[in-house]
Amino acid sequence: MNKKGMLFVVSGPSGCGKGTVLGEILKDDRFYYSVSATTRSPREGERDGVNYHFLTREKFEELIGNGEMLEYAEYCGNYYGTPLTYIDKKLSEGKHVILEIEVQGAMNVRKLRDDAVLIFILPPSLKELRRRLEKRGTESAEVVEKRISAASEEIRTADKYDYIMINGELEKAVEDFRSIITAAEMYSGNNKYLIDEVLNDA
Ligand code: 5GP
């Protein structure tokens, strides 16, 4: 039996290291990372179709109008959204689909797909988040402060997620993330078929 994959939604403030954790998780080809669409400009090194689908506002709005986005949100003046194209296809092929999206989008997915599993990645502390953002050195002190205050807001919504984990030490965070996946896979709602399988193998 080809069991359907599950939809995982991952959020966490900028600088919490969610990209690094997901980088490890995605080495396993049971997972499919959904490439989002955005109207923001590519950063140095970002590639169209790999990091994001970089679109104009007109094109993005056309996709919204055609019902081709699972969800979208406006964040810091730009649109970000999840194209529907591959999601159901990958799920029916048995892949776990991962959406890395901000909190408004995550709450919209929750309403649309009640079987989605929502995971929030916390930094160990705001102090540590500030240290990581400053170390990254890509933002001015003012922008770091803005991101820290945005982070406090985002962190306050973490209680709406199914799982909350901390990204302190990478190896431990990856292990924790894998444990969440395993727990979600064993959720009874997804495994009723096992009861019959066992009973029928008498
Ligand atoms: P960045 O500009 O730093 O790449 O992303 C800004 C924020 O937008 C991040 O929190 C990121 O997770 C979020 N984001 C990326 N793709 C999507 C998406 O498809 N939908 C929503 N709602 N948020 C997204």
Side-chain angles (χ1 to χ4, degrees):
M1 165 184 180
N2 180 16
K3 211 167 164 250
K4 261 193 85 180
M6 302 177 72
L7 185 60
F8 291 93
V9 176
V10 182
S11 304
S14 167
C16 77
K18 56 187 186 298
T20 319
V21 174
L22 289 180
E24 287 302 309
I25 296 298
L26 290 163
K27 287 180 182 165
D28 180 340
D29 69 2
R30 290 187 305 144
F31 296 96
Y32 170 77
Y33 180 81
S34 160
V35 179
S36 294
T38 183
T39 58
R40 84 150 161 73
S41 318
R43 294 189 187 124
E44 212 181 303
E46 284 185 333
R47 286 190 293 143
D48 189 35
V50 176
N51 306 88
Y52 281 105
H53 300 287
F54 294 101
L55 306 180
T56 61
R57 279 189 90 82
E58 292 68 33
K59 179 70 189 164
F60 200 104
E61 284 169 358
E62 187 187 315
L63 295 181
I64 299 171
N66 294 342
E68 290 178 52
M69 291 288 180
L70 170 64
E71 62 73 37
Y72 68 94
E74 238 179 314
Y75 181 90
C76 295
N78 284 300
Y79 280 130
Y80 292 84
T82 306
L84 267 171
T85 333
Y86 293 113
I87 294 186
D88 288 316
K89 183 174 177 288
K90 294 290 172 187
L91 291 172
S92 58
E93 285 170 8
K95 298 257 186 205
H96 291 324
V97 173
I98 297 194
L99 311 183
E100 182 189 342
I101 64 180
E102 52 67 64
V103 296
Q104 303 167 63
M107 294 304 114
N108 287 334
V109 174
R110 161 122 292 166
K111 284 185 219 139
L112 294 165
R113 304 270 176 134
D114 60 3
D115 55 349
V117 178
L118 273 59
I119 304 171
F120 198 97
I121 303 186
L122 285 172
S125 62
L126 279 186
K127 205 192 320 161
E128 172 62 14
L129 188 72
R130 175 178 278 111
R131 200 189 63 79
R132 289 182 190 174
L133 286 172
E134 283 170 356
K135 190 170 147 220
R136 196 151 88 176
T138 46
E139 281 93 19
S140 64
E142 191 195 338
V143 173
V144 168
E145 282 318 309
K146 272 196 189 144
R147 292 204 174 205
I148 296 283
S149 88
S152 316
E153 284 305 306
E154 289 169 69
I155 288 170
R156 286 194 175 86
T157 63
D159 64 343
K160 308 239 168 18
Y161 284 63
D162 300 306
Y163 296 93
I164 300 178
M165 53 168 280
I166 290 191
N167 182 16
E169 198 247 313
L170 179 64
E171 228 169 89
K172 170 77 169 63
V174 171
E175 191 187 316
D176 288 347
F177 197 99
R178 291 202 176 109
S179 304
I180 294 171
I181 306 275
T182 305
E185 287 174 332
M186 292 181 185
Y187 177 65
S188 76
N190 297 328
N191 287 302
K192 303 247 185 269
Y193 76 98
L194 286 176
I195 301 172
D196 284 337
E197 267 188 21
V198 169
L199 290 176
N200 291 335
D201 192 13

